[in-house]
Amino acid sequence: MELCFIGGGHVLKGELDEVFEELSKRIKPNSKILVVPFATEVSKYDSWMGSLEQAFSNMINVKLDILHEDFPTSEMVTMINDSDVLYLIGGRPEKLLKIIQEKELAASIRNYPGLIIGYSAGALAFCEDCILTKDDDYPESIVIKGLGLVDFSVEVHYTEANDDELFALSTERTIYALPDGCAIFYKDGRIHKKVNDVISFLENKKTIE
C-alpha cells in the first residue's frame, strides 16, 4: 500500500498540478480508479466525478468509477478489490468514517495493496487520530478515531491561523500540516516524497520540512 495525503486545492484551477504530476508517475495506464465519496452529499457526486475525470484525463486510459452509499457491502468490497487506486474525496471526515464502519469496509481499505489517495477529509481519515481543528464547521477542535493506516496526524487546508491549536495537539502526536497544493506520499513505514512545503508540529515545535 502507498498513501497520498493531499491537503487541498482546486484541481481545475491548476492548484494541484504538481501533485497530479507525481500521481501520474505511480498510476499505470489502464488503471481502474475507484472514488470513495462518502465524505460529501450524494447530490455532489456528479460534480466531484466531473472534476476528477478532467484531473485524470492526462493519464493513459484510466477509468473512474464511484461507490454509492446505497450499494450493498458485498458489491462495494468487490469493487474495491477490483480497483487499482482508491480516491477518498473531501467533505466531512466523520461522515466518511461513519459510512466506512457501517458498510464494514475498514478491513478492505486497511488491506488494500494499491495506491490510496486521500484529499482533505480523505487524508484526515487515514490517521490513527483524525484531527478536526476549530473552524466554521467545528466550533472546537476534536479528535476522532481514524482508520489507523499511519501513526501520525495531518492538518489539511493549513494556514498559520491554526498554529495555536496545532501546538496544543502536537504534545501527543506528530502532525503534518498541508497547505492547499501540498501533499505527502507514504510507503513502507515512512514519508518518502513531499510536494511543496509541508510543516510539521511535534511537542510544541514547528518545522518546515
Side-chain angles (χ1 to χ4, degrees):
M1 176 194 295
E2 181 174 16
L3 301 174
C4 173
F5 299 73
I6 301 175
H10 200 302
V11 67
L12 299 184
K13 294 180 180 178
E15 295 170 356
L16 292 172
D17 284 355
E18 292 177 73
V19 177
F20 273 81
E21 183 179 344
E22 284 297 323
L23 288 171
S24 69
K25 300 173 185 177
R26 293 163 170 80
I27 298 175
K28 297 178 181 179
N30 306 308
S31 289
K32 298 177 183 178
I33 301 173
L34 182 61
V35 178
V36 183
F38 305 149
T40 194
E41 303 303 321
V42 174
S43 61
K44 297 180 180 179
Y45 284 11
D46 287 345
S47 62
W48 269 99
M49 287 298 286
S51 296
L52 289 175
E53 284 168 358
Q54 186 167 336
F56 285 104
S57 63
N58 291 332
M59 300 183 196
I60 300 173
N61 198 33
V62 298
K63 178 184 178 183
L64 272 70
D65 205 349
I66 189 168
L67 287 183
H68 277 273
E69 291 183 28
D70 56 356
F71 286 175
T73 294
S74 59
E75 183 176 350
M76 289 187 177
V77 170
T78 297
M79 291 177 72
I80 290 171
N81 292 339
D82 287 347
S83 69
D84 302 298
V85 179
L86 296 182
Y87 194 110
L88 281 61
I89 68 170
R92 299 189 71 98
E94 71 276 21
K95 181 177 184 293
L96 168 63
L97 290 164
K98 181 174 182 287
I99 295 175
I100 287 173
Q101 292 300 328
E102 288 177 348
K103 292 293 185 176
E104 300 179 344
L105 299 176
S108 296
I109 294 173
R110 291 190 183 107
N111 295 321
Y112 192 74
L115 171 65
I116 310 181
I117 305 164
Y119 174 91
S120 187
L124 292 174
F126 290 162
C127 305
E128 181 75 36
D129 292 338
C130 178
I131 294 174
L132 313 179
T133 49
K134 182 167 60 176
D135 60 14
D136 293 340
D137 294 321
Y138 304 98
E140 298 294 335
S141 294
I142 58 174
V143 179
I144 61 176
K145 181 176 175 57
L147 291 169
L149 304 182
V150 295
D151 60 2
F152 56 82
S153 296
V154 295
E155 163 79 351
V156 296
H157 306 293
Y158 166 73
T159 67
E160 291 187 346
N162 281 341
D163 278 8
D164 287 345
E165 298 287 323
L166 295 171
F167 280 129
L169 291 161
S170 73
T171 59
E172 299 180 17
R173 59 188 66 81
T174 300
I175 303 169
Y176 292 101
L178 307 173
D180 286 358
C182 295
I184 54 178
F185 288 83
Y186 176 94
K187 189 177 182 180
D188 298 329
R190 66 182 183 89
I191 294 171
H192 65 90
K193 178 69 179 181
K194 302 182 183 75
V195 178
N196 295 319
D197 287 342
V198 175
I199 298 91
S200 65
F201 289 82
L202 176 61
E203 297 178 348
N204 288 311
K205 293 180 181 178
K206 174 183 177 182
T207 306
I208 297 177
E209 299 283 332

